[in-house]
Amino acid sequence: MRLLLNWVLSAVAVWIVAQLGIGISVRGAAAALIAALVIGFINATIGFVLKILTFLLTLVTLGLFWFLINALMLELASALLSPGFHVNGFLAAFVGAIVLSLVNLVLKAILMPGKDQK
């Protein structure tokens, strides 16, 4: 049940980011659900490997390089899901990755409180 809620909240975050007008578009709720699933899968596989391989560079840049990796993963998801989910360029992917992470964090903090926050 928690996994399903996590997926739906990620889809809502994708939809919210698409509504902000920063160069990310999504066509409907089904496209947002599929985009959330694909983004999660890409981040769990390719993104994870890239983050391990670039760990030293991430340390040198104090974690800022992860934003670049997240933007690339968002671009990859856009390439796989276009036209249902589309990112207009790298700058939109970079800003979108940051905003998507923040929106996802806020939604999960509100609707899925941790075990210690009862």
Side-chain angles (χ1 to χ4, degrees), residues 46-107:
I46 300 168
F48 179 71
V49 171
L50 281 176
K51 287 177 182 178
I52 289 174
L53 292 175
T54 61
F55 183 70
L56 289 177
L57 185 57
T58 302
L59 282 177
V60 170
T61 61
L62 302 175
L64 295 177
F65 193 73
W66 276 3
F67 291 129
L68 178 71
I69 293 173
N70 287 337
L72 291 173
M73 297 302 102
L74 205 56
E75 282 274 352
L76 179 60
S78 172
L80 293 173
L81 297 174
S82 189
F85 173 73
H86 183 70
V87 178
N88 296 325
F90 182 75
L91 183 62
F94 188 77
V95 173
I98 294 170
V99 174
L100 183 62
S101 297
L102 292 174
V103 170
N104 214 354
L105 179 77
V106 168
L107 285 175

